[in-house]
Amino acid sequence: MRRYYFPAVFTPEDNGKFSVDFPDLSSCYTCGDDMADAIIMAEDVLAMTLVDYETDNLPIPIPSASDMIPLKTGEFINYVACDTIAYRKAVLGEYLFHADLQNEQTKKKNPKQI
């Protein structure tokens, strides 16, 4: 699966900015200058984190139900979606999908067999 969605906890800051944390994914957090910026930044950090999970062959956690996530006063949950294939193409310039990547690795190991 290359399209994902996860709940994100948005925390308004005193200066009008927002902090964003993905409780299901360790070390997946960001911030934005306003709500629109926070959403864009959240989409980016979610995709970047999940690309790392895919690259390292780590299991992708199942997204928590929003009613299972504790919130502090003022915080709210918004689901954020991403597409790791589109992220790889747009940001990382990786145009090879997983199967193509494996094929390239096989060619390097056994160039005479291909």
Side-chain angles (χ1 to χ4, degrees), residues 83-105:
D83 181 330
T84 57
I85 292 173
Y87 182 84
R88 287 176 189 271
K89 287 180 181 180
V91 177
L92 302 177
E94 293 183 22
Y95 292 95
L96 299 176
F97 298 126
H98 183 69
D100 292 334
L101 184 58
Q102 285 181 340
N103 188 28
E104 289 297 317
Q105 290 170 346

Side-chain angles (χ1 to χ4, degrees), residues 24-102:
D24 294 320
L25 302 164
S26 72
S27 300
C28 187
Y29 52 88
T30 190
C31 62
D33 291 334
D34 54 29
M35 177 57 71
D37 188 46
I39 291 171
I40 291 167
M41 297 298 288
E43 291 169 348
D44 187 59
V45 75
L46 178 62
M48 180 177 61
T49 299
L50 293 174
V51 163
D52 286 345
Y53 273 63
E54 291 174 351
T55 300
D56 295 340
N57 291 316
L58 298 173
I60 306 293
I62 296 172
S64 294
S66 60
D67 60 351
M68 300 303 292
I69 299 171
L71 297 174
K72 296 176 185 170
T73 302
E75 292 182 330
F76 60 92
I77 293 176
N78 188 38
Y79 279 86
V80 177
C82 75
D83 181 330
T84 57
I85 292 173
Y87 182 84
R88 287 176 189 271
K89 287 180 181 180
V91 177
L92 302 177
E94 293 183 22
Y95 292 95
L96 299 176
F97 298 126
H98 183 69
D100 292 334
L101 184 58
Q102 285 181 340

